[in-house]
Each structure stands twice: as structure tokens, then as C-alpha cells.
Amino acid sequence: MHPRRPDGFDGLGYRGGARDEQGFSGAFPARSFSSGSDLSHWVTTPPDIPGSRNLHWGEKSPPYGAPAPSTPLEGPAEEPFPGGSSSGGGGVQGQSSEQLNRFAGFGIGLASLFTENVLAHPCIVLRRQCQVNYHARHYHLTPFTVINIMYSFNKTQGPRALWKGMGSTFIVQGVTLGAEGIISEFTPLPREISHKWNPKQIGEHLLLKSLTYMVAMPFYSASLIETVQSEIIRDNTGILECVKEGIGRVMGLGVPHSKRLLPLLSLIFPTVLHGVLHYIISSAIQKFVLLILKRKTYSSHLAESTSPVQSMLDAYFPELIANFAASLCSDVILYPLETVLHRLHIQGTRTIIDNTDLGYEVLPINTQYEGMRDCINTIRQEEGMLGFYKGFGAVIIQYTLHAAVLQITKIIYSTLLQNSV
């Protein structure tokens, strides 16, 4: 239940600064900004932008708008710069540079979010269509075949075929965040894990995550249908259609489904299992990668071998890189389980998908899995072990694109810093 993520798009959710609100708050407690004295000199940024927690240089930065040191009242005034220029000009220049650094860091986080949730959406669409297409002879395990089939879909159905269901993925993320906040507010279940954690606290925190995934499950199922439904027979649905279908799935209303539709109770275990494992794996990898990067940065600073530009880059990019590595590893590790989960959710919903072998025509979904165990055995017997990795080439394209955007923004940011230093 973590669309690119990131997870926590968890990433997700993810997603650092962004992951604090999308499922990573347990691994990285957010900083406290409660005192008014601390808030008085910061340029604030939204908390859901990756890297935004590191946009400021803490104790090293002078308070924003602080007056320059006053000169003595008696005696001649000193002019530290030739030509009679005062130190106020240098202070203004330093403040301008600090402002540039803050907003440049905000732009880097925003570019990461945009890549994860918008640019990567065509990869998510094709990846899910391949996962639920049990008819497919071509598994699309490499990015080359994925690019070819994307071109065919775009040619026959237009660009909308690759961007369908994007609004519903944001709705699912919003429902997940809202449910987690409400449950943690009215129950003793902790939304964050302190540094002095204990097994009981971790268990309660994971219970909160499990309840959150259960609440968001029907909306996730509706969002999945929107992303895999063929554009050829698709009606012009509104952005809130996901909410309507999710509530209808719970109440047993809406479009009639076939008798093969699995009840929501039978979907709870695989949904919660996938969500919790994704959260645990991504949180552990994120913390591990961030620890390595912090130690590397600290060692380089002790050796005094880093330039001012590199020092500033070290304050922005470690969290983004950690989020990227966490989302990539968790998606790769749990890809087989995600394939099983999507097939269970889509069964019996009368969904018509695109033919991922030809790039045109449509196919019905007529699976008859009795549950998670039966789905795993059927895929292994009829499609082989590679059947669990159908559409994996889309994951390669998705994270290659994400890495490229991070590298480009890093180059741009380095250039801006060099010009401002």
C-alpha cells in the first residue's frame, strides 16, 4: 500500500521529512519547533517535503533579520572594508545567500516528491497492469519491453492511458495520513517511537500502522481498479470516485460485482502484511543508509577536506538518498507479495485491462483464487517463479528516473551554491 513510494509516496509516505507523516515517523522522530524563540528566525517550509528538516543550518545561522553589531558611541568609526563600505552589506549578502540555500533545498525536496508521485505514475500504471494480467506471455522483466509497450498504449489510447488513477493515489495517501492521525489521537498507540524504545512501544506502533492500513484498504482497492482499468472502456469518472467506490465496497453498494469477489475480511491479512513489512524494511534501510552517510560526512568534516559547497550539500541530500534507497529496496523485496495482493484485490471486480502483450485490445480478469495461499500456488504452478515479477522492468525505469532527477537537481543546486559563495 505504498505507491511511488513513497512509502511513502514509503518513500510514499516516502519520506526523512516526508516519511514522518507517511509512515516513517517511527524511525525518525520529527524535530520540535514549539518555542516561539526558535520560530522567530526561520523561513518555514511544509513538513512533507523530503529534506525540509535540514533546510536550516541550526546554531551556525544568525537570526534572520538580526541587527548588525553596533559601533562604539565614542571614537572614530572603523571601516573594515576599503572604500568606506560597512559590514551591513556583508550581512545582507549573507542573509541573501542563506535565503537562496533554504529555498533551493525546498526545491530539491519538491522535485523529489514530484518525481516519486507524478513522473513515476506511468511506471506504476504499467507495473500494476502486468501484475494482474495472468494471461500475459511477455513478463516485461526488462525496461526495454516496458518502454515499447508504453509507446503502444500512448499511440492507441493517448497520454491518458498512462496517467489514469493518479488522483486516487493521492486520495489513498490522504486517507492513510488522516486515519493514522485520528487513531493515534483517540488511542494510546504511539505515532512515533522514541529513542528509548522498548518492545511494547514498537508493538503498539506497528498495531497503529496495521489499523491504518485496514481503514485505507477499501480505498486502496478502488484506486487499484482505476489504475489498471483500460482507458478504452473507461468512463469519465470524477476525482472523488475512489472515495465513492471505497465506501461502496464496505457497504456492499455501488457497481455489482461477481461471485468471485473476495470479501474484505479475507483481504485484511495480505494487505496488512504487505503494509507492515514495507514499513519495517524501508524504515530499517533508511536509518542504516542515513547513519552511513552521516558518518561519512562527519569523517570528511574532521579531515577538513570538504568545500563549503559540499558541506551545504551534505545537509540536504543524505535524507533524500536514504529515502530513495529505502523505497527501492522495499519495493524490490516485496514485489512478489505485491503481485499476489493486487490479484486478490482485483478479483471479481469486473475489471477490463489492456493487453500488455500486444499494446492494444483488452482482456477481462477472470481469476478464481480462494485466498492468498491458493493465489501463490497457482502463480507458481501456471506462470513459474518469474510470474511473481511480471512488470518488474517498470520498477527499473521508475527508480532510474528518480535517481536521474536527484542527480540533476544536485548539479543545479551545486551551481547555485558556487555562484552564491
Side-chain angles (χ1 to χ4, degrees):
M1 297 187 56
H2 296 266
R4 305 288 34 103
R5 56 82 224 153
D7 215 337
F9 146 6
D10 43 188
L12 6 160
Y14 112 11
R15 170 185 300 101
R19 305 287 182 177
D20 288 346
E21 295 297 329
Q22 300 182 10
F24 285 78
S25 56
F28 300 96
R31 299 180 183 177
S32 175
F33 293 94
S34 57
S35 76
S37 60
D38 292 335
L39 287 173
S40 61
H41 58 278
W42 297 115
V43 176
T44 59
T45 54
D48 59 340
I49 303 299
S52 62
R53 285 167 39 195
N54 287 337
L55 295 184
H56 320 298
W57 282 87
E59 297 77 17
K60 298 180 181 180
S61 299
Y64 181 74
S70 58
T71 56
L73 295 179
E74 298 179 359
E78 298 180 359
E79 293 190 3
F81 298 102
S85 62
S86 63
S87 61
V92 172
Q93 183 178 2
Q95 292 176 3
S96 301
S97 176
E98 187 70 16
Q99 291 279 2
L100 175 63
N101 297 339
R102 292 170 183 171
F103 286 109
F106 177 81
I108 292 172
L110 191 62
S112 179
L113 273 183
F114 180 78
T115 304
E116 184 177 355
N117 294 282
V118 180
L119 290 183
H121 191 74
C123 299
I124 296 174
V125 169
L126 187 61
R127 158 184 167 181
R128 291 181 173 183
Q129 283 193 320
C130 293
Q131 286 178 318
V132 301
N133 187 1
Y134 66 99
H135 304 280
R137 299 188 310 270
H138 301 291
Y139 288 7
H140 299 295
L141 302 177
T142 65
F144 307 105
T145 58
V146 171
I147 294 175
N148 184 39
I149 203 68
M150 280 184 174
Y151 174 77
S152 299
F153 285 158
N154 184 74
K155 184 178 180 180
T156 56
Q157 303 179 36
R160 292 184 58 184
L162 298 176
W163 301 93
K164 56 191 175 185
M166 185 172 65
S168 64
T169 59
F170 289 107
I171 291 178
V172 172
Q173 294 181 23
V175 170
T176 303
L177 287 174
E180 182 178 355
I182 293 175
I183 294 175
S184 63
E185 186 71 22
F186 293 96
T187 62
L189 302 178
R191 195 173 184 181
E192 298 179 357
I193 298 178
S194 62
H195 293 290
K196 298 180 180 180
W197 55 268
N198 55 65
K200 179 182 178 182
Q201 188 180 31
I202 293 180
E204 292 177 346
H205 181 68
L206 294 180
L207 177 60
L208 172 64
K209 296 295 180 182
S210 302
L211 295 176
T212 301
Y213 299 139
M214 289 174 59
V215 173
M217 181 177 61
F219 305 100
Y220 178 80
S221 182
S223 174
L224 175 64
I225 295 174
E226 286 192 18
T227 54
V228 302
Q229 182 89 316
S230 176
E231 193 69 21
I232 297 177
I233 52 93
R234 179 185 176 87
D235 298 329
N236 293 326
T237 56
I239 192 173
L240 297 179
E241 188 70 17
C242 173
V243 178
K244 177 182 176 182
E245 291 294 331
I247 296 176
R249 182 76 181 269
V250 176
M251 305 291 293
L253 304 175
V255 179
H257 302 289
S258 69
K259 296 180 180 179
R260 299 186 304 273
L261 180 69
L262 294 174
L264 289 178
L265 290 177
S266 63
L267 297 176
I268 290 178
F269 177 73
T271 302
V272 172
L273 178 64
H274 176 266
V276 171
L277 287 179
H278 196 286
Y279 172 73
I280 293 175
I281 294 173
S282 58
S283 298
I285 293 177
Q286 184 188 40
K287 187 174 183 179
F288 177 73
V289 173
L290 196 59
L291 180 63
I292 293 178
L293 295 176
K294 294 285 187 181
R295 287 185 176 181
K296 182 180 178 181
T297 302
Y298 180 73
S299 300
S300 61
H301 285 175
L302 288 180
E304 297 182 356
S305 59
T306 57
S307 62
V309 173
Q310 184 62 40
S311 299
M312 291 186 178
L313 290 177
D314 290 338
Y316 293 86
F317 280 91
E319 280 192 41
L320 295 177
I321 297 175
N323 293 337
F324 171 81
S327 298
L328 173 61
C329 294
S330 55
D331 278 356
V332 171
I333 294 173
L334 297 177
Y335 196 88
L337 179 58
E338 185 183 67
T339 299
V340 174
L341 176 66
H342 287 170
R343 292 200 182 187
L344 295 177
H345 272 278
I346 210 72
Q347 176 173 301
T349 57
R350 301 183 185 272
T351 302
I352 306 296
I353 66 172
D354 295 307
N355 190 329
T356 56
D357 288 335
L358 303 176
Y360 56 91
E361 298 182 351
V362 294
L363 297 170
I365 299 296
N366 295 321
T367 56
Q368 298 182 9
Y369 306 124
E370 297 179 359
M372 181 177 177
R373 183 189 299 271
D374 181 54
C375 181
I376 295 174
N377 293 333
T378 303
I379 295 176
R380 185 173 62 247
Q381 294 173 4
E382 297 183 359
E383 305 171 51
M385 294 302 297
L386 291 179
F388 293 99
Y389 290 92
K390 284 185 173 180
F392 189 77
V395 177
I396 301 176
I397 296 177
Q398 175 182 344
Y399 284 99
T400 300
L401 179 64
H402 195 174
V405 171
L406 285 180
Q407 186 63 28
I408 292 173
T409 54
K410 184 177 182 179
I411 294 174
I412 296 175
Y413 184 51
S414 300
T415 304
L416 291 175
L417 284 178
Q418 289 175 355
N419 293 335
S420 63
V421 170

